[in-house]
């Protein structure tokens, strides 16, 4: 049985991957998570205790990381500060976790020759114009816009340098915007669903025409497992499911679901440096590793997600008021 260390495994996407590993492999999983505001014990509750163990700790703390890396066959690295708006308000934790944390993990896997997979984002490539026919590929130059995306870009560069200079056995994936159950209410889709459940208007930045390329988190997990098992060392794979939608279109779909008028929208202050459009060309992953998304229909995935938030109000309500208070201070 393989032992896999999953950093950030109590977060939105990492916890989905932990479930995926338990369902699809025989691996023993150790979750290393600092349990920040973004983590949830509930998201990994109920998994077999002989297969999954949670260690509360910081990836930037060498004393924590060293023994866990020493006993792992592979490390799958999700832990990060992940929210752009937070990085604009206070970049410091992004530098510490996303850069120093990744460095600390790389040094540990180098010492113990452990396979490493680095989970990153399409935001490292900056943005595209709305009418640009191009999509991001593995060859697109890096041009990050926010402190968050710059810290993730830096972490990708660290991984590549550790592969080339030290022979670390690593792969990288850059994925587009995820949606699905267990996503924190600070993020766009859960924020709008929960605003509408609470009888308020969805809150859209700027002109609402910014485009994101949505993928269900289950599809992200299956792609990461394919790369972990069959990806070529040193390679980068873009993960996407052809889910381009403008923000205002997503909000209109949520309003329609609740039988509310489609123009019942609160237009709020735009995000500083707001990226216009992300779009992923995932042909390398699909052809080389024979991967396909299961949630090809975004509207069906969105409906499932809306229903999940309707049914899990006990989970998201404790975070909702504080999240909205933070946004209100910024006129968002
Ligand atoms: P999240 O904020 O929901 O979860 C992050 C997790 O990391 C939390 O459980 C948190 O407690 C943990 N963490 C934070 N700092 C830590 C530290 N110093 N040590 C240990 N654990 C720490 O984020 P997410 O949306 O699940 O994103 C997970 C990963 O996927 C990130 O690396 C992110 O950059 C990447 N990613 C996210 C998306 C997306 O749409 N959300 C898309 C592409 C890539
Ligand atoms: O592309 C991948 C990235 O997707 C990940 O790397 C990040 O971790 C993840 O947070 C996400 O980044 P975004 O900034 O795209 O996601 P967010 O949910 O914050 O916002 C999505 C879009 O919606 C963006 O154009 C900003 C807009 N928005 C967001 C919020 C919270 C609004 O219009 N209103 C809002 O209330």
């Amino acid at each position: 049985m393989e032992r896999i260390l999953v950093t950030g495994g109590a977060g939105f996407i990492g916890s989905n991957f932990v479930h995926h590993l338990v369902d699809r492999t025989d691996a023993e999983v150790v979750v290393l998570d600092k349990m920040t505001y973004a983590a949830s014990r509930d998201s990994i509750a109920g998994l077999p205790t002989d297969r999954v163990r949670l260690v509360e700790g910081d990836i930037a703390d060498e004393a924590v990381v060293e023994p866990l890396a020493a006993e792992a066959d592979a490390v799958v690295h999700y832990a990060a500060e992940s929210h752009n708006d937070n990085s604009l308000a206070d970049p410091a934790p992004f530098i510490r976790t996303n850069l120093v944390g990744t460095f600390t993990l790389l040094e540990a896997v180098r010492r113990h020759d452990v396979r490493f997979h680095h989970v990153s984002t399409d935001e490292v490539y900056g943005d595209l114009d709305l009418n640009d026919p191009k999509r991001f590929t593995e060859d697109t130059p890096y041009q990050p816009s926010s402190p968050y995306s710059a810290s993730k870009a830096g972490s990708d560069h660290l991984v590549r340098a550790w592969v080339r200079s030290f022979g670390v056995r690593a792969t990288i994936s850059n994925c587009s915007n995820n949606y699905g159950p267990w996503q924190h209410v600070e993020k766009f889709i859960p924020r709008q669903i929960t605003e509408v459940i609470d009888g308020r208007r969805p809150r859209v930045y700027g002109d609402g025409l910014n485009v994101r390329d949505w993928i269900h988190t289950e599809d992200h997990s299956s792609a990461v497992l394919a790369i972990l098992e069959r990806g070529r060392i040193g390679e980068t794979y873009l993960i996407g499911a052809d889910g381009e939608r403008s923000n205002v279109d997503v909000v209109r779909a949520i309003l329609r679901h609740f039988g509310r008028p489609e123009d019942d929208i609160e237009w709020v202050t735009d995000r500083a440096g707001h990226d216009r459009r992300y779009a992923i060309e995932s042909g390398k992953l699909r052809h080389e590793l024979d991967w396909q998304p299961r949630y090809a229909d975004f509207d069906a995935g969105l409906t499932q997600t809306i229903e999940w938030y309707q049914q899990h109000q006990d989970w998201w309500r404790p975070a909702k008021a504080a999240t909205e208070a933070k946004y209100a201070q910024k006129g968002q």
Side-chain angles (χ1 to χ4, degrees):
M1 187 188 274
E2 272 210 321
R3 183 169 292 186
I4 302 181
L5 178 64
V6 180
T7 73
F12 162 50
I13 307 177
S15 63
N16 187 280
F17 185 69
V18 172
H19 281 269
H20 203 77
L21 281 177
V22 170
D23 291 347
R24 312 287 160 106
T25 71
D26 295 328
E28 205 176 282
V29 182
V30 178
V31 171
L32 171 58
D33 200 299
K34 192 176 171 184
M35 304 308 287
T36 70
Y37 78 96
S40 164
R41 281 177 199 276
D42 292 347
S43 66
I44 48 171
L47 290 169
T49 49
D50 59 336
R51 296 277 309 278
V52 180
R53 177 164 71 94
L54 171 64
V55 176
E56 191 168 338
D58 188 340
I59 55 162
D61 183 345
E62 192 192 318
V64 170
V65 165
E66 172 63 22
L68 297 175
E71 60 181 21
D73 298 302
V75 174
V76 183
H77 175 33
Y78 286 91
E81 287 291 338
S82 70
H83 193 41
N84 275 296
D85 291 322
N86 293 345
S87 81
L88 294 165
D90 180 13
F94 288 75
I95 303 305
R96 180 173 161 78
T97 288
N98 301 358
L99 284 167
V100 179
T102 302
F103 160 74
T104 308
L105 289 166
L106 283 168
E107 283 292 81
V109 296
R110 170 157 89 109
R111 280 191 293 271
H112 299 286
D113 188 23
V114 174
R115 169 85 170 88
F116 188 74
H117 179 72
H118 179 59
V119 177
S120 192
T121 169
D122 59 357
E123 294 194 11
V124 299
Y125 301 116
D127 61 354
L128 299 160
D129 288 337
L130 291 183
N131 54 6
D132 192 334
K134 284 201 297 289
R135 298 193 281 172
F136 298 139
T137 72
E138 287 79 4
D139 297 323
T140 303
Y142 275 43
Q143 203 170 10
S145 309
S146 73
Y148 161 69
S149 48
S151 68
K152 292 295 293 190
S155 67
D156 292 8
H157 291 320
L158 291 177
V159 176
R160 289 200 185 90
W162 262 242
V163 170
R164 177 161 171 157
S165 297
F166 303 126
V168 164
R169 294 179 292 123
T171 43
I172 299 176
S173 55
N174 297 81
C175 187
S176 61
N177 284 63
N178 285 220
Y179 72 97
W182 302 108
Q183 189 168 28
H184 194 277
V185 287
E186 69 188 354
K187 302 294 198 301
F188 178 61
I189 287 181
R191 184 179 187 206
Q192 312 312 339
I193 295 171
T194 55
E195 286 294 88
V196 177
I197 290 175
D198 279 349
R200 307 208 322 161
R201 298 167 112 189
R203 307 175 80 78
V204 178
Y205 297 171
D207 62 11
L209 298 180
N210 304 65
V211 168
R212 295 295 182 266
D213 190 352
W214 294 99
I215 181 172
H216 196 285
T217 187
E218 293 271 354
D219 285 331
H220 189 178
S221 291
S222 65
V224 168
L225 186 58
I227 297 166
L228 184 68
E229 289 179 339
R230 307 192 297 281
R232 283 181 293 138
I233 297 303
E235 291 292 316
T236 291
Y237 296 87
L238 262 55
I239 305 174
D242 300 331
E244 279 188 72
R245 291 282 187 294
S246 72
N247 293 339
V248 70
D249 280 350
V250 173
V251 156
R252 286 194 184 119
I254 294 170
L255 285 166
R256 270 199 305 278
H257 180 96
F258 287 93
R260 292 255 297 263
E262 286 192 7
D263 59 354
D264 202 6
I265 292 170
E266 190 80 26
W267 299 94
V268 298
T269 312
D270 205 355
R271 172 184 286 171
H274 195 176
D275 280 338
R276 201 56 168 157
R277 169 174 161 249
Y278 305 140
I280 289 269
E281 159 55 53
S282 56
K284 178 177 173 180
L285 172 70
R286 291 173 194 240
H287 299 133
E288 199 178 302
L289 302 184
D290 198 22
W291 172 86
Q292 289 291 334
R294 277 204 310 125
Y295 288 80
D297 180 351
F298 174 75
D299 293 310
L302 183 62
T303 298
Q304 178 231 48
T305 304
I306 293 171
E307 288 168 354
W308 190 90
Y309 280 88
Q310 286 176 306
Q311 289 155 13
H312 291 78
Q313 301 201 19
D314 288 353
W315 178 72
W316 56 261
R317 281 215 177 274
K320 179 69 179 166
T323 303
E324 288 307 322
K326 245 168 52 179
Y327 278 125
Q329 278 176 358
K330 298 182 292 173
Q332 290 180 323

